[in-house]
Amino acid sequence: MADCIFCKIAAGEIPAQVVYQDDAVIAFRDLSPKAPVHVLIVPRKHIQSVAHFTAEDSELAAHIFVDVVPKLAAELGVADGGFRLVMNTGKNGGQSVNHLHVHLLGGRKMTWPPG
Ligand code: 5GP
Ligand code: ZN
């Protein structure tokens, strides 16, 4: 989608520190990390948010959570110590980039509740 920063990163038009990519997904380091490990897992397909997933995205959603998250958590060294997944959704959810993404945060003790 035009003027979407994550579509541009997925297309290689804007540089990013890519840690994983395949035909369906790209993952890269957050520009403003909130933890020692902070990567964004992003489908190449422009989907606005998790609230906009449809049945045709079932395989993609499973791929993200069943394949990519565990693989990246292991490779980034946070699988054993634990990590947090965040999907800010919409205005009240604090979403600032309107292209679905999963934050994977780790490498420090997280607090609860989130701000
Ligand atoms: P949200 O607030 O939508 O949940 O998260 C968007 C995230 O994207 C933020 O953590 C922000 O730091 C990150 N971000 C915004 N623009 C860029 C960019 O151009 N490159 C990278 N790597 N991260 C970005
Ligand atoms: Zn997009």
Side-chain angles (χ1 to χ4, degrees):
M1 175 184 257
D3 291 333
C4 171
I5 198 149
F6 287 177
C7 282
K8 287 182 177 165
I9 289 174
E13 293 167 12
I14 290 178
Q17 288 185 50
V18 175
V19 295
Y20 173 81
Q21 58 182 323
D22 61 28
D23 287 350
V25 170
I26 185 166
F28 49 88
R29 305 245 179 216
D30 197 293
L31 200 58
S32 175
K34 302 296 186 287
V37 170
H38 186 175
V39 303
L40 303 171
I41 302 165
V42 177
R44 291 186 184 279
K45 175 183 176 185
H46 183 91
I47 301 169
Q48 186 174 327
S49 79
V50 70
H52 296 77
F53 262 147
T54 66
E56 76 173 27
D57 301 315
S58 300
E59 203 176 310
L60 174 61
H63 179 51
I64 290 171
F65 291 106
V66 176
D67 304 323
V68 180
V69 164
K71 177 183 166 59
L72 271 179
E75 285 179 5
L76 296 169
V78 298
D80 292 342
F83 57 91
R84 180 170 291 175
L85 301 179
V86 174
M87 298 185 81
N88 296 323
T89 303
K91 197 171 152 198
N92 283 352
Q95 185 174 6
S96 63
V97 176
N98 290 322
H99 179 137
L100 187 157
H101 50 282
V102 180
H103 296 255
L104 191 164
L105 299 126
R108 68 168 170 83
K109 181 106 173 78
M110 302 294 160
T111 59
W112 192 264

